[in-house]
Amino acid sequence: MTKIFKYTWAILKGMGITLKYFFIKPVTVQYPKEKIKISPRWRGTLKQLKNEKGEEACDGCRICEKICPVNCISMEVYKDEKKNRRFTSSYTVNFGRCMFCGLCVEACPKKCLVHTTDFEFCTYERESLILTKDKILR
Amino acid sequence: MTETLKNTGFEEMTLNMGPQHPSTHGVLHLLLKMDGEVITEARPDIGYLHRGMEKLAEKRTWGANIALSDRWDYIASMSNNFAAVLGPEKLMNIAVPKRAEYIRIIMAELNRIASHLIFFGTYGIDIGAFTPFFYAFREREMILDLYESVCGARLTYNYFRIGGVSADLPEEFVPGVKAFIKYFRPKLKEYDTLLSTNPIFMDRTVGVGAISKEEAVDWALSGPNIRASGISFDIRKEDPYSVYSEFDFNIPTGKNGDCWDRYMVRMNEMSESARIIEQALEKLEPGDIMAKVAKVIRPPAGEIYTHVEAPKGELGVYCISDGSTMPYRYKVRGPSFVNLAILQKMLRGLKIADVVAVLGSIDIVLGEVDR
Ligand code: SF4
Ligand code: SF4
């Protein structure tokens, strides 16, 4: 008998705590309608920046390609004799493989490869996870 | 098993528990031989989450291995990062700047709280109390927010670097941690009311699955599991790495080594971690966060074993370098893997209803068991 009393009392005490939280604002976020604030350091999809002249800043040094632990970056490089620098003719990132570790961004010597704060990139096909240069250079 | 039962055809039954059972914390498969309700033999069957981490590591550079280490124990990635950087740092004799050391410790201890919160929440569910889960995850979410502001990820942090950490703390981090600790302390009392001292919870855990001191040593347990048996073994004290020797903290231990003791040790550890964080915040001074390290990391040839006190126990990395950019051998001693082995001993003779209570109390993460 005392046992039943003890159990009930414990449950009531627990309920008391729950009740306390019943009256304060909920902490959950109603996701598609509301969104939480993403930190600016968020490691989302990759993006290449342009330089101040409006042309691509990346000079195809291939450092990001080499450092990536899962080999998801691939590029083709050519040399522009007139401008006397290298350019990439293609730059592809396979986000199906990417684990968003940020090593490529950290290693880029031109600081032209950056993360976006974008985290919603679900698709129906795997192919659309492979982003080519026109989508990455923004 | 009585003879009558055998003769009438009621023999031992084999029961497969998992790998899709919600209480096996991932994909653990338990093969249980049962005599009625009593377990006569238990065999954990692992490997459903095997990704070949050790072999992968041999084909990745030392720096990239930190990113892979996030995936061992995915709810305590900071501790994994810690273990992954200590080895090459020792081989290369890198002196990590003071600020980086303190940042590392703050991160590791916050991660301990986060990991134990998951334990607290899921253990409640295992036993049948659902409410603690929500409260535990609410608090854990705050830690993840702090992590997000520092390194940009909520689960796979990849924050440590050989020689320091990847980024300095943002402005809002230190006040954020202080506010969190202030908020978190009273919550621990609440948890005690909700679960720890609840008589129903205690009935199901006190005296269940006791591990004696000798057994704990024989089975090479580590972390909260061995401390619950009354052995004060903590790598932060036994073999202090980083700057842990500067901090003043206690090692909570249990007495009987039963499920409740293992649970209580973790609860007490959370407040100790909070103490360490407070001390580390005080010592934090502006300064460098990275030592001067060459871009391409080539530790000199040699072998080394380094270990850290991860939330689950002793997480050790034994690496052999042949002087190239990639490790020659990379062996990970996962605490969950070693702690899981004692299950076959503990479960024998228990009732089927206690399996979940015992399994939950040793707190495994399958990502680290299988690697
Ligand atoms: S974030 Fe990591 S995995 Fe993704 S492309 Fe960069 S280096 Fe590769
Ligand atoms: S590291 Fe930077 S500059 Fe070099 S190829 Fe990659 S994106 Fe271009």
Side-chain angles (χ1 to χ4, degrees):
Chain A
M1 196 61 200
T2 48
K3 231 178 178 181
I4 295 177
F5 189 73
K6 222 168 85 190
Y7 287 176
T8 322
W9 177 237
I11 291 175
L12 284 180
K13 268 206 303 200
M15 293 279 198
I17 290 178
T18 322
L19 201 67
K20 204 171 85 197
Y21 288 113
F22 192 72
F23 296 108
I24 62 167
K25 226 175 114 242
V27 289
T28 42
V29 178
Q30 304 299 324
Y31 164 56
K33 288 191 207 127
E34 303 169 48
K35 276 183 193 165
I36 50 169
K37 231 175 81 214
I38 300 281
S39 137
R41 289 193 188 176
W42 179 255
R43 302 203 302 252
T45 43
L46 297 172
K47 176 170 99 166
Q48 268 194 10
L49 300 175
K50 294 182 177 161
N51 63 8
E52 60 282 354
K53 278 183 250 157
E55 51 185 20
E56 57 172 291
C58 167
D59 71 345
C61 66
R62 288 183 187 270
I63 286 179
C64 53
E65 187 185 24
K66 277 192 208 113
I67 204 156
C68 177
V70 289
N71 302 334
C72 56
I73 303 179
S74 57
M75 66 182 85
E76 274 161 28
V77 186
Y78 69 96
K79 183 145 193 218
D80 191 329
E81 295 294 347
K82 253 188 256 152
K83 289 187 179 141
N84 199 21
R85 55 165 285 201
R86 284 169 306 181
F87 282 101
T88 53
S89 54
S90 77
Y91 189 95
T92 319
V93 183
N94 182 352
F95 284 105
R97 293 184 68 108
C98 177
M99 57 181 188
F100 305 101
C101 61
L103 291 177
C104 53
V105 171
E106 226 177 274
C108 175
K110 296 262 173 214
K111 302 271 167 255
C112 63
L113 192 63
V114 292
H115 283 295
T116 60
T117 52
D118 181 20
F119 61 97
E120 297 162 309
F121 42 97
C122 304
T123 59
Y124 285 105
E125 306 104 36
R126 280 192 185 194
E127 283 72 43
S128 38
L129 284 171
I130 301 173
L131 296 194
T132 44
K133 195 171 160 185
D134 48 323
K135 297 225 181 71
I136 289 170
L137 187 67
R138 283 184 270 174
Chain B
M1 195 183 339
T2 54
E3 279 307 305
T4 4
L5 278 178
K6 217 180 218 165
N7 297 339
T8 45
F10 289 99
E11 291 183 352
E12 264 189 343
M13 187 175 76
T14 310
L15 187 78
N16 288 295
M17 189 171 165
Q20 273 128 348
H21 192 280
S23 292
T24 53
H25 294 247
V27 281
L28 175 66
H29 179 197
L30 278 175
L31 265 166
L32 304 172
K33 281 231 176 76
M34 319 238 306
D35 175 10
E37 279 225 0
V38 180
I39 294 157
T40 53
E41 195 191 323
R43 200 152 58 84
D45 180 18
I46 59 168
Y48 290 92
L49 207 57
H50 180 67
R51 292 151 295 175
M53 281 293 185
E54 287 173 13
K55 192 70 198 164
L56 276 177
E58 291 169 17
K59 283 277 168 288
R60 300 286 179 283
T61 56
W62 292 91
N65 270 326
I66 302 166
L68 286 191
S69 77
D70 289 339
R71 276 99 183 144
W72 302 338
D73 174 357
Y74 38 73
I75 54 178
S77 302
M78 287 290 184
S79 303
N80 300 349
N81 281 186
F82 219 147
V85 295
L86 281 181
E89 268 170 15
K90 262 203 189 145
L91 277 177
M92 295 169 78
N93 275 330
I94 298 172
V96 180
K98 265 272 146 41
R99 183 177 169 84
E101 294 275 29
Y102 291 130
I103 293 177
R104 283 177 175 190
I105 281 175
I106 294 171
M107 296 299 167
E109 293 306 318
L110 273 177
N111 219 169
R112 193 181 313 278
I113 295 180
S115 171
H116 287 350
L117 277 175
I118 288 211
F119 163 78
F120 167 71
T122 51
Y123 198 47
I125 294 188
D126 288 348
I127 299 291
F130 216 94
T131 326
F133 179 77
F134 298 114
Y135 294 149
F137 270 64
R138 178 188 60 194
E139 267 79 86
R140 175 172 176 264
E141 205 65 14
M142 294 177 175
I143 299 180
L144 296 194
D145 282 341
L146 288 170
Y147 281 157
E148 185 191 320
S149 73
V150 177
C151 61
R154 298 175 74 84
L155 212 56
T156 49
Y157 310 119
N158 189 21
Y159 179 57
F160 289 28
R161 292 288 177 276
I162 294 167
V165 292
S166 74
D168 208 344
L169 303 175
E171 252 168 51
E172 70 273 13
F173 183 81
V174 174
V177 175
K178 278 186 185 146
F180 170 75
I181 301 276
K182 205 164 150 239
Y183 166 87
F184 182 64
R185 278 262 161 74
K187 293 285 177 268
L188 279 171
K189 292 216 182 63
E190 227 164 63
Y191 298 160
D192 285 348
T193 324
L194 271 176
L195 205 59
S196 318
T197 54
N198 185 308
I200 304 172
F201 175 73
M202 284 179 83
D203 276 0
R204 289 215 48 194
T205 49
V206 174
V208 176
I211 307 177
S212 68
K213 270 187 193 179
E214 291 75 33
E215 270 172 6
V217 175
D218 285 352
W219 288 81
L221 298 189
S222 54
N225 293 321
I226 196 170
R227 294 198 278 276
S229 298
I231 300 175
S232 160
F233 174 75
D234 189 315
I235 294 162
R236 289 173 293 175
K237 289 268 194 217
E238 303 291 323
D239 179 18
Y241 53 98
S242 192
V243 283
Y244 268 114
S245 44
E246 291 178 18
F247 294 98
D248 166 38
F249 60 99
N250 303 326
I251 308 216
T253 50
K255 247 195 221 112
N256 313 319
D258 54 10
C259 290
W260 195 77
D261 273 354
R262 283 193 284 277
Y263 164 87
M264 237 19 228
V265 164
R266 293 198 177 89
M267 299 310 278
N268 294 336
E269 246 173 44
M270 284 202 259
S271 57
E272 291 303 321
S273 287
R275 263 180 71 198
I276 300 179
I277 296 169
E278 277 171 343
Q279 293 171 36
L281 282 177
E282 252 162 47
K283 295 188 183 196
L284 201 62
E285 269 163 21
D288 283 342
I289 52 155
M290 266 301 264
K292 292 243 169 336
V293 200
K295 268 244 161 77
V296 182
I297 286 168
R298 274 182 228 269
E303 51 189 285
I304 197 156
Y305 178 76
T306 45
H307 51 184
V308 298
E309 181 72 28
K312 311 251 166 0
E314 174 182 352
L315 173 64
V317 175
Y318 173 67
C319 44
I320 303 181
S321 164
D322 56 359
S324 72
T325 54
M326 296 174 206
Y328 176 75
R329 176 78 172 96
Y330 208 74
K331 162 86 181 94
V332 182
R333 184 229 190 252
S336 300
F337 174 70
V338 182
N339 292 345
L340 182 68
I342 200 173
L343 207 64
Q344 25 189 322
K345 168 96 204 345
M346 272 156 84
L347 287 185
R348 216 172 292 148
L350 286 182
K351 297 256 166 61
I352 180 88
D354 292 329
V355 171
V356 173
V358 170
L359 177 61
S361 76
I362 57 173
D363 192 23
I364 50 161
V365 160
L366 263 297
E368 192 186 86
V369 174
D370 295 341
R371 257 169 279 128

